[in-house]
Amino acid sequence: MTADPGRPVSLRQIAPDLLFIEVAGRRVLTQAECPHRRGRLRYGYLNGRTLRITCPLHHSTFDLLTGRQVAGPPCGSLRVTPLPEDAASPRSAAEAVALADRLRPEAGAP
């Protein structure tokens, strides 16, 4: 992973398919592979100023708060789960999955 100098960032792979990212005081869980061609995002570029991650393979770029693709070959959105400030950082994949499940809106909810 490369990142903006001067911005504290943290990226941990906590499961084969899940990353924990902390940047600019924001924390998110996201899928570990780019939806375009499964590039490993842990080796991508993390921009702490814009809160975006860029895949190292074909340079698809995603907003870390919404998952929306903002650049690169068309591939759709990245699955992201923003974590509340008061949530404990997940230490394991099981904790991360449980936390993400708790934060997802109920099916059919507005």
PDB file of all heavy atoms in Angstrom, residues 66-104:
ATOM      1  N   THR A  66     -18.622   5.673   0.332  1.00  0.00           N
ATOM      2  CA  THR A  66     -19.822   5.196  -0.354  1.00  0.00           C
ATOM      3  C   THR A  66     -19.584   3.914  -1.155  1.00  0.00           C
ATOM      4  O   THR A  66     -20.530   3.223  -1.501  1.00  0.00           O
ATOM      5  CB  THR A  66     -20.345   6.257  -1.336  1.00  0.00           C
ATOM      6  OG1 THR A  66     -19.358   6.459  -2.365  1.00  0.00           O
ATOM      7  CG2 THR A  66     -20.636   7.570  -0.631  1.00  0.00           C
ATOM      8  N   GLY A  67     -18.322   3.653  -1.515  1.00  0.00           N
ATOM      9  CA  GLY A  67     -18.003   2.514  -2.364  1.00  0.00           C
ATOM     10  C   GLY A  67     -18.138   2.817  -3.841  1.00  0.00           C
ATOM     11  O   GLY A  67     -17.783   2.006  -4.691  1.00  0.00           O
ATOM     12  N   ARG A  68     -18.629   4.002  -4.175  1.00  0.00           N
ATOM     13  CA  ARG A  68     -18.867   4.378  -5.573  1.00  0.00           C
ATOM     14  C   ARG A  68     -17.560   4.439  -6.352  1.00  0.00           C
ATOM     15  O   ARG A  68     -16.565   4.980  -5.892  1.00  0.00           O
ATOM     16  CB  ARG A  68     -19.567   5.739  -5.615  1.00  0.00           C
ATOM     17  CG  ARG A  68     -19.970   6.210  -6.988  1.00  0.00           C
ATOM     18  CD  ARG A  68     -20.734   7.524  -6.897  1.00  0.00           C
ATOM     19  NE  ARG A  68     -19.934   8.582  -6.293  1.00  0.00           N
ATOM     20  CZ  ARG A  68     -19.141   9.406  -6.984  1.00  0.00           C
ATOM     21  NH1 ARG A  68     -19.053   9.294  -8.289  1.00  0.00           N
ATOM     22  NH2 ARG A  68     -18.448  10.343  -6.366  1.00  0.00           N
ATOM     23  N   GLN A  69     -17.573   3.886  -7.556  1.00  0.00           N
ATOM     24  CA  GLN A  69     -16.413   3.963  -8.431  1.00  0.00           C
ATOM     25  C   GLN A  69     -16.343   5.362  -9.015  1.00  0.00           C
ATOM     26  O   GLN A  69     -17.334   5.889  -9.518  1.00  0.00           O
ATOM     27  CB  GLN A  69     -16.507   2.940  -9.561  1.00  0.00           C
ATOM     28  CG  GLN A  69     -15.284   2.953 -10.441  1.00  0.00           C
ATOM     29  CD  GLN A  69     -15.371   2.002 -11.609  1.00  0.00           C
ATOM     30  OE1 GLN A  69     -16.439   1.504 -11.947  1.00  0.00           O
ATOM     31  NE2 GLN A  69     -14.250   1.746 -12.242  1.00  0.00           N
ATOM     32  N   VAL A  70     -15.151   5.983  -8.947  1.00  0.00           N
ATOM     33  CA  VAL A  70     -14.988   7.347  -9.445  1.00  0.00           C
ATOM     34  C   VAL A  70     -14.033   7.433 -10.628  1.00  0.00           C
ATOM     35  O   VAL A  70     -13.941   8.484 -11.268  1.00  0.00           O
ATOM     36  CB  VAL A  70     -14.546   8.317  -8.318  1.00  0.00           C
ATOM     37  CG1 VAL A  70     -15.635   8.424  -7.262  1.00  0.00           C
ATOM     38  CG2 VAL A  70     -13.237   7.875  -7.700  1.00  0.00           C
ATOM     39  N   ALA A  71     -13.296   6.359 -10.925  1.00  0.00           N
ATOM     40  CA  ALA A  71     -12.380   6.358 -12.067  1.00  0.00           C
ATOM     41  C   ALA A  71     -12.041   4.920 -12.440  1.00  0.00           C
ATOM     42  O   ALA A  71     -12.212   4.002 -11.640  1.00  0.00           O
ATOM     43  CB  ALA A  71     -11.097   7.119 -11.737  1.00  0.00           C
ATOM     44  N   GLY A  72     -11.547   4.760 -13.664  1.00  0.00           N
ATOM     45  CA  GLY A  72     -11.094   3.451 -14.113  1.00  0.00           C
ATOM     46  C   GLY A  72     -12.103   2.728 -14.975  1.00  0.00           C
ATOM     47  O   GLY A  72     -13.186   3.241 -15.254  1.00  0.00           O
ATOM     48  N   PRO A  73     -11.754   1.509 -15.404  1.00  0.00           N
ATOM     49  CA  PRO A  73     -12.652   0.725 -16.250  1.00  0.00           C
ATOM     50  C   PRO A  73     -13.967   0.438 -15.526  1.00  0.00           C
ATOM     51  O   PRO A  73     -13.958   0.187 -14.326  1.00  0.00           O
ATOM     52  CB  PRO A  73     -11.882  -0.578 -16.493  1.00  0.00           C
ATOM     53  CG  PRO A  73     -10.502  -0.347 -16.004  1.00  0.00           C
ATOM     54  CD  PRO A  73     -10.524   0.812 -15.091  1.00  0.00           C
ATOM     55  N   PRO A  74     -15.092   0.488 -16.221  1.00  0.00           N
ATOM     56  CA  PRO A  74     -16.379   0.252 -15.572  1.00  0.00           C
ATOM     57  C   PRO A  74     -16.415  -1.108 -14.866  1.00  0.00           C
ATOM     58  O   PRO A  74     -16.054  -2.129 -15.443  1.00  0.00           O
ATOM     59  CB  PRO A  74     -17.385   0.269 -16.723  1.00  0.00           C
ATOM     60  CG  PRO A  74     -16.695   0.959 -17.845  1.00  0.00           C
ATOM     61  CD  PRO A  74     -15.233   0.714 -17.661  1.00  0.00           C
ATOM     62  N   CYS A  75     -16.827  -1.088 -13.606  1.00  0.00           N
ATOM     63  CA  CYS A  75     -16.889  -2.348 -12.868  1.00  0.00           C
ATOM     64  C   CYS A  75     -17.892  -2.321 -11.729  1.00  0.00           C
ATOM     65  O   CYS A  75     -18.101  -3.321 -11.068  1.00  0.00           O
ATOM     66  CB  CYS A  75     -15.513  -2.740 -12.331  1.00  0.00           C
ATOM     67  SG  CYS A  75     -14.840  -1.610 -11.120  1.00  0.00           S
ATOM     68  N   GLY A  76     -18.486  -1.199 -11.444  1.00  0.00           N
ATOM     69  CA  GLY A  76     -19.436  -1.128 -10.351  1.00  0.00           C
ATOM     70  C   GLY A  76     -18.782  -0.690  -9.055  1.00  0.00           C
ATOM     71  O   GLY A  76     -17.608  -0.328  -9.017  1.00  0.00           O
ATOM     72  N   SER A  77     -19.551  -0.741  -8.009  1.00  0.00           N
ATOM     73  CA  SER A  77     -19.123  -0.224  -6.715  1.00  0.00           C
ATOM     74  C   SER A  77     -18.350  -1.240  -5.899  1.00  0.00           C
ATOM     75  O   SER A  77     -18.446  -2.445  -6.108  1.00  0.00           O
ATOM     76  CB  SER A  77     -20.341   0.223  -5.910  1.00  0.00           C
ATOM     77  OG  SER A  77     -20.985   1.282  -6.560  1.00  0.00           O
ATOM     78  N   LEU A  78     -17.636  -0.710  -4.938  1.00  0.00           N
ATOM     79  CA  LEU A  78     -16.908  -1.493  -3.947  1.00  0.00           C
ATOM     80  C   LEU A  78     -17.816  -1.611  -2.727  1.00  0.00           C
ATOM     81  O   LEU A  78     -18.469  -0.636  -2.332  1.00  0.00           O
ATOM     82  CB  LEU A  78     -15.628  -0.728  -3.587  1.00  0.00           C
ATOM     83  CG  LEU A  78     -14.574  -1.424  -2.762  1.00  0.00           C
ATOM     84  CD1 LEU A  78     -13.938  -2.552  -3.565  1.00  0.00           C
ATOM     85  CD2 LEU A  78     -13.501  -0.413  -2.358  1.00  0.00           C
ATOM     86  N   ARG A  79     -17.899  -2.786  -2.127  1.00  0.00           N
ATOM     87  CA  ARG A  79     -18.681  -2.934  -0.899  1.00  0.00           C
ATOM     88  C   ARG A  79     -17.907  -2.311   0.258  1.00  0.00           C
ATOM     89  O   ARG A  79     -16.785  -2.718   0.539  1.00  0.00           O
ATOM     90  CB  ARG A  79     -18.959  -4.398  -0.599  1.00  0.00           C
ATOM     91  CG  ARG A  79     -19.963  -5.040  -1.518  1.00  0.00           C
ATOM     92  CD  ARG A  79     -20.337  -6.460  -1.084  1.00  0.00           C
ATOM     93  NE  ARG A  79     -19.266  -7.220  -0.484  1.00  0.00           N
ATOM     94  CZ  ARG A  79     -18.378  -7.976  -1.145  1.00  0.00           C
ATOM     95  NH1 ARG A  79     -18.425  -8.045  -2.455  1.00  0.00           N
ATOM     96  NH2 ARG A  79     -17.448  -8.652  -0.505  1.00  0.00           N
ATOM     97  N   VAL A  80     -18.494  -1.321   0.910  1.00  0.00           N
ATOM     98  CA  VAL A  80     -17.868  -0.699   2.071  1.00  0.00           C
ATOM     99  C   VAL A  80     -18.884  -0.591   3.198  1.00  0.00           C
ATOM    100  O   VAL A  80     -20.075  -0.444   2.960  1.00  0.00           O
ATOM    101  CB  VAL A  80     -17.293   0.711   1.765  1.00  0.00           C
ATOM    102  CG1 VAL A  80     -16.187   0.654   0.734  1.00  0.00           C
ATOM    103  CG2 VAL A  80     -18.366   1.676   1.345  1.00  0.00           C
ATOM    104  N   THR A  81     -18.375  -0.682   4.423  1.00  0.00           N
ATOM    105  CA  THR A  81     -19.189  -0.471   5.611  1.00  0.00           C
ATOM    106  C   THR A  81     -18.470   0.541   6.488  1.00  0.00           C
ATOM    107  O   THR A  81     -17.467   0.209   7.116  1.00  0.00           O
ATOM    108  CB  THR A  81     -19.388  -1.793   6.397  1.00  0.00           C
ATOM    109  OG1 THR A  81     -19.989  -2.761   5.538  1.00  0.00           O
ATOM    110  CG2 THR A  81     -20.265  -1.576   7.611  1.00  0.00           C
ATOM    111  N   PRO A  82     -18.940   1.800   6.497  1.00  0.00           N
ATOM    112  CA  PRO A  82     -18.335   2.780   7.399  1.00  0.00           C
ATOM    113  C   PRO A  82     -18.602   2.374   8.846  1.00  0.00           C
ATOM    114  O   PRO A  82     -19.695   1.919   9.186  1.00  0.00           O
ATOM    115  CB  PRO A  82     -19.055   4.079   7.053  1.00  0.00           C
ATOM    116  CG  PRO A  82     -19.664   3.858   5.708  1.00  0.00           C
ATOM    117  CD  PRO A  82     -19.960   2.391   5.644  1.00  0.00           C
ATOM    118  N   LEU A  83     -17.599   2.533   9.697  1.00  0.00           N
ATOM    119  CA  LEU A  83     -17.737   2.180  11.105  1.00  0.00           C
ATOM    120  C   LEU A  83     -17.955   3.442  11.935  1.00  0.00           C
ATOM    121  O   LEU A  83     -17.312   4.460  11.683  1.00  0.00           O
ATOM    122  CB  LEU A  83     -16.483   1.460  11.600  1.00  0.00           C
ATOM    123  CG  LEU A  83     -16.119   0.174  10.870  1.00  0.00           C
ATOM    124  CD1 LEU A  83     -14.827  -0.404  11.433  1.00  0.00           C
ATOM    125  CD2 LEU A  83     -17.242  -0.837  10.969  1.00  0.00           C
ATOM    126  N   PRO A  84     -18.826   3.376  12.930  1.00  0.00           N
ATOM    127  CA  PRO A  84     -19.000   4.540  13.799  1.00  0.00           C
ATOM    128  C   PRO A  84     -17.743   4.785  14.627  1.00  0.00           C
ATOM    129  O   PRO A  84     -16.970   3.860  14.891  1.00  0.00           O
ATOM    130  CB  PRO A  84     -20.185   4.147  14.692  1.00  0.00           C
ATOM    131  CG  PRO A  84     -20.361   2.690  14.538  1.00  0.00           C
ATOM    132  CD  PRO A  84     -19.694   2.268  13.272  1.00  0.00           C
ATOM    133  N   GLU A  85     -17.554   6.037  15.024  1.00  0.00           N
ATOM    134  CA  GLU A  85     -16.359   6.404  15.783  1.00  0.00           C
ATOM    135  C   GLU A  85     -16.226   5.623  17.087  1.00  0.00           C
ATOM    136  O   GLU A  85     -15.117   5.335  17.519  1.00  0.00           O
ATOM    137  CB  GLU A  85     -16.363   7.896  16.079  1.00  0.00           C
ATOM    138  CG  GLU A  85     -16.117   8.745  14.856  1.00  0.00           C
ATOM    139  CD  GLU A  85     -16.104  10.222  15.187  1.00  0.00           C
ATOM    140  OE1 GLU A  85     -15.831  10.572  16.349  1.00  0.00           O
ATOM    141  OE2 GLU A  85     -16.358  11.010  14.280  1.00  0.00           O
ATOM    142  N   ASP A  86     -17.350   5.290  17.702  1.00  0.00           N
ATOM    143  CA  ASP A  86     -17.292   4.622  19.003  1.00  0.00           C
ATOM    144  C   ASP A  86     -17.170   3.098  18.906  1.00  0.00           C
ATOM    145  O   ASP A  86     -17.046   2.423  19.915  1.00  0.00           O
ATOM    146  CB  ASP A  86     -18.512   4.987  19.853  1.00  0.00           C
ATOM    147  CG  ASP A  86     -19.824   4.560  19.207  1.00  0.00           C
ATOM    148  OD1 ASP A  86     -19.828   4.219  18.004  1.00  0.00           O
ATOM    149  OD2 ASP A  86     -20.851   4.581  19.907  1.00  0.00           O
ATOM    150  N   ALA A  87     -17.169   2.563  17.686  1.00  0.00           N
ATOM    151  CA  ALA A  87     -17.033   1.106  17.524  1.00  0.00           C
ATOM    152  C   ALA A  87     -15.583   0.698  17.743  1.00  0.00           C
ATOM    153  O   ALA A  87     -14.666   1.371  17.291  1.00  0.00           O
ATOM    154  CB  ALA A  87     -17.482   0.681  16.136  1.00  0.00           C
ATOM    155  N   ALA A  88     -15.389  -0.403  18.443  1.00  0.00           N
ATOM    156  CA  ALA A  88     -14.040  -0.928  18.646  1.00  0.00           C
ATOM    157  C   ALA A  88     -13.501  -1.443  17.316  1.00  0.00           C
ATOM    158  O   ALA A  88     -14.247  -1.957  16.490  1.00  0.00           O
ATOM    159  CB  ALA A  88     -14.067  -2.054  19.675  1.00  0.00           C
ATOM    160  N   SER A  89     -12.203  -1.292  17.109  1.00  0.00           N
ATOM    161  CA  SER A  89     -11.576  -1.814  15.898  1.00  0.00           C
ATOM    162  C   SER A  89     -11.654  -3.336  15.914  1.00  0.00           C
ATOM    163  O   SER A  89     -11.323  -3.954  16.919  1.00  0.00           O
ATOM    164  CB  SER A  89     -10.107  -1.391  15.825  1.00  0.00           C
ATOM    165  OG  SER A  89     -10.016  -0.009  15.722  1.00  0.00           O
ATOM    166  N   PRO A  90     -12.095  -3.942  14.823  1.00  0.00           N
ATOM    167  CA  PRO A  90     -12.167  -5.409  14.794  1.00  0.00           C
ATOM    168  C   PRO A  90     -10.781  -6.018  14.848  1.00  0.00           C
ATOM    169  O   PRO A  90      -9.858  -5.550  14.198  1.00  0.00           O
ATOM    170  CB  PRO A  90     -12.863  -5.704  13.466  1.00  0.00           C
ATOM    171  CG  PRO A  90     -12.671  -4.489  12.639  1.00  0.00           C
ATOM    172  CD  PRO A  90     -12.510  -3.338  13.575  1.00  0.00           C
ATOM    173  N   ARG A  91     -10.639  -7.057  15.666  1.00  0.00           N
ATOM    174  CA  ARG A  91      -9.348  -7.738  15.795  1.00  0.00           C
ATOM    175  C   ARG A  91      -9.288  -9.004  14.962  1.00  0.00           C
ATOM    176  O   ARG A  91      -8.231  -9.584  14.788  1.00  0.00           O
ATOM    177  CB  ARG A  91      -9.083  -8.065  17.259  1.00  0.00           C
ATOM    178  CG  ARG A  91      -8.868  -6.828  18.111  1.00  0.00           C
ATOM    179  CD  ARG A  91      -8.698  -7.218  19.537  1.00  0.00           C
ATOM    180  NE  ARG A  91      -9.934  -7.871  19.970  1.00  0.00           N
ATOM    181  CZ  ARG A  91     -10.578  -7.594  21.083  1.00  0.00           C
ATOM    182  NH1 ARG A  91     -10.096  -6.726  21.912  1.00  0.00           N
ATOM    183  NH2 ARG A  91     -11.688  -8.215  21.381  1.00  0.00           N
ATOM    184  N   SER A  92     -10.436  -9.455  14.486  1.00  0.00           N
ATOM    185  CA  SER A  92     -10.468 -10.694  13.717  1.00  0.00           C
ATOM    186  C   SER A  92     -11.536 -10.584  12.634  1.00  0.00           C
ATOM    187  O   SER A  92     -12.380  -9.686  12.666  1.00  0.00           O
ATOM    188  CB  SER A  92     -10.805 -11.872  14.632  1.00  0.00           C
ATOM    189  OG  SER A  92     -12.140 -11.760  15.095  1.00  0.00           O
ATOM    190  N   ALA A  93     -11.495 -11.526  11.723  1.00  0.00           N
ATOM    191  CA  ALA A  93     -12.493 -11.558  10.654  1.00  0.00           C
ATOM    192  C   ALA A  93     -13.887 -11.766  11.237  1.00  0.00           C
ATOM    193  O   ALA A  93     -14.846 -11.141  10.795  1.00  0.00           O
ATOM    194  CB  ALA A  93     -12.157 -12.653   9.657  1.00  0.00           C
ATOM    195  N   ALA A  94     -13.998 -12.626  12.238  1.00  0.00           N
ATOM    196  CA  ALA A  94     -15.308 -12.893  12.840  1.00  0.00           C
ATOM    197  C   ALA A  94     -15.884 -11.623  13.466  1.00  0.00           C
ATOM    198  O   ALA A  94     -17.074 -11.326  13.301  1.00  0.00           O
ATOM    199  CB  ALA A  94     -15.193 -14.004  13.880  1.00  0.00           C
ATOM    200  N   GLU A  95     -15.059 -10.867  14.176  1.00  0.00           N
ATOM    201  CA  GLU A  95     -15.515  -9.605  14.764  1.00  0.00           C
ATOM    202  C   GLU A  95     -15.930  -8.623  13.674  1.00  0.00           C
ATOM    203  O   GLU A  95     -16.931  -7.929  13.814  1.00  0.00           O
ATOM    204  CB  GLU A  95     -14.416  -8.962  15.608  1.00  0.00           C
ATOM    205  CG  GLU A  95     -14.282  -9.512  16.986  1.00  0.00           C
ATOM    206  CD  GLU A  95     -13.247  -8.744  17.801  1.00  0.00           C
ATOM    207  OE1 GLU A  95     -12.922  -7.593  17.453  1.00  0.00           O
ATOM    208  OE2 GLU A  95     -12.771  -9.316  18.788  1.00  0.00           O
ATOM    209  N   ALA A  96     -15.168  -8.546  12.603  1.00  0.00           N
ATOM    210  CA  ALA A  96     -15.467  -7.617  11.514  1.00  0.00           C
ATOM    211  C   ALA A  96     -16.781  -7.977  10.836  1.00  0.00           C
ATOM    212  O   ALA A  96     -17.603  -7.100  10.564  1.00  0.00           O
ATOM    213  CB  ALA A  96     -14.332  -7.612  10.499  1.00  0.00           C
ATOM    214  N   VAL A  97     -16.994  -9.249  10.570  1.00  0.00           N
ATOM    215  CA  VAL A  97     -18.233  -9.682   9.921  1.00  0.00           C
ATOM    216  C   VAL A  97     -19.427  -9.399  10.828  1.00  0.00           C
ATOM    217  O   VAL A  97     -20.458  -8.892  10.377  1.00  0.00           O
ATOM    218  CB  VAL A  97     -18.151 -11.173   9.535  1.00  0.00           C
ATOM    219  CG1 VAL A  97     -19.499 -11.702   9.103  1.00  0.00           C
ATOM    220  CG2 VAL A  97     -17.120 -11.358   8.427  1.00  0.00           C
ATOM    221  N   ALA A  98     -19.298  -9.691  12.117  1.00  0.00           N
ATOM    222  CA  ALA A  98     -20.385  -9.424  13.060  1.00  0.00           C
ATOM    223  C   ALA A  98     -20.695  -7.922  13.113  1.00  0.00           C
ATOM    224  O   ALA A  98     -21.860  -7.520  13.123  1.00  0.00           O
ATOM    225  CB  ALA A  98     -20.034  -9.953  14.440  1.00  0.00           C
ATOM    226  N   LEU A  99     -19.662  -7.107  13.135  1.00  0.00           N
ATOM    227  CA  LEU A  99     -19.846  -5.660  13.169  1.00  0.00           C
ATOM    228  C   LEU A  99     -20.512  -5.164  11.891  1.00  0.00           C
ATOM    229  O   LEU A  99     -21.462  -4.380  11.932  1.00  0.00           O
ATOM    230  CB  LEU A  99     -18.499  -4.970  13.371  1.00  0.00           C
ATOM    231  CG  LEU A  99     -18.501  -3.454  13.450  1.00  0.00           C
ATOM    232  CD1 LEU A  99     -19.378  -2.968  14.596  1.00  0.00           C
ATOM    233  CD2 LEU A  99     -17.087  -2.944  13.617  1.00  0.00           C
ATOM    234  N   ALA A 100     -20.049  -5.621  10.756  1.00  0.00           N
ATOM    235  CA  ALA A 100     -20.644  -5.213   9.479  1.00  0.00           C
ATOM    236  C   ALA A 100     -22.104  -5.639   9.398  1.00  0.00           C
ATOM    237  O   ALA A 100     -22.951  -4.869   8.942  1.00  0.00           O
ATOM    238  CB  ALA A 100     -19.854  -5.799   8.321  1.00  0.00           C
ATOM    239  N   ASP A 101     -22.429  -6.838   9.859  1.00  0.00           N
ATOM    240  CA  ASP A 101     -23.812  -7.313   9.844  1.00  0.00           C
ATOM    241  C   ASP A 101     -24.696  -6.444  10.726  1.00  0.00           C
ATOM    242  O   ASP A 101     -25.836  -6.139  10.375  1.00  0.00           O
ATOM    243  CB  ASP A 101     -23.898  -8.772  10.292  1.00  0.00           C
ATOM    244  CG  ASP A 101     -23.401  -9.731   9.227  1.00  0.00           C
ATOM    245  OD1 ASP A 101     -23.270  -9.322   8.056  1.00  0.00           O
ATOM    246  OD2 ASP A 101     -23.124 -10.902   9.573  1.00  0.00           O
ATOM    247  N   ARG A 102     -24.177  -6.024  11.886  1.00  0.00           N
ATOM    248  CA  ARG A 102     -24.951  -5.176  12.782  1.00  0.00           C
ATOM    249  C   ARG A 102     -25.210  -3.804  12.180  1.00  0.00           C
ATOM    250  O   ARG A 102     -26.246  -3.193  12.431  1.00  0.00           O
ATOM    251  CB  ARG A 102     -24.196  -4.969  14.102  1.00  0.00           C
ATOM    252  CG  ARG A 102     -24.533  -5.950  15.151  1.00  0.00           C
ATOM    253  CD  ARG A 102     -24.134  -5.536  16.559  1.00  0.00           C
ATOM    254  NE  ARG A 102     -23.179  -4.458  16.697  1.00  0.00           N
ATOM    255  CZ  ARG A 102     -21.896  -4.614  16.988  1.00  0.00           C
ATOM    256  NH1 ARG A 102     -21.385  -5.816  17.135  1.00  0.00           N
ATOM    257  NH2 ARG A 102     -21.109  -3.561  17.129  1.00  0.00           N
ATOM    258  N   LEU A 103     -24.291  -3.298  11.375  1.00  0.00           N
ATOM    259  CA  LEU A 103     -24.411  -1.957  10.833  1.00  0.00           C
ATOM    260  C   LEU A 103     -25.213  -1.885   9.541  1.00  0.00           C
ATOM    261  O   LEU A 103     -25.639  -0.815   9.145  1.00  0.00           O
ATOM    262  CB  LEU A 103     -23.009  -1.369  10.587  1.00  0.00           C
ATOM    263  CG  LEU A 103     -22.182  -1.162  11.841  1.00  0.00           C
ATOM    264  CD1 LEU A 103     -20.761  -0.783  11.468  1.00  0.00           C
ATOM    265  CD2 LEU A 103     -22.798  -0.104  12.742  1.00  0.00           C
ATOM    266  N   ARG A 104     -25.407  -3.012   8.870  1.00  0.00           N
ATOM    267  CA  ARG A 104     -26.167  -3.000   7.610  1.00  0.00           C
ATOM    268  C   ARG A 104     -27.638  -2.736   7.907  1.00  0.00           C
ATOM    269  O   ARG A 104     -28.186  -3.271   8.855  1.00  0.00           O
ATOM    270  CB  ARG A 104     -26.030  -4.353   6.897  1.00  0.00           C
ATOM    271  CG  ARG A 104     -24.744  -4.501   6.199  1.00  0.00           C
ATOM    272  CD  ARG A 104     -24.760  -5.683   5.240  1.00  0.00           C
ATOM    273  NE  ARG A 104     -23.420  -5.899   4.780  1.00  0.00           N
ATOM    274  CZ  ARG A 104     -22.590  -6.803   5.294  1.00  0.00           C
ATOM    275  NH1 ARG A 104     -22.975  -7.598   6.246  1.00  0.00           N
ATOM    276  NH2 ARG A 104     -21.376  -6.925   4.826  1.00  0.00           N
TER     277      ARG A 104
END
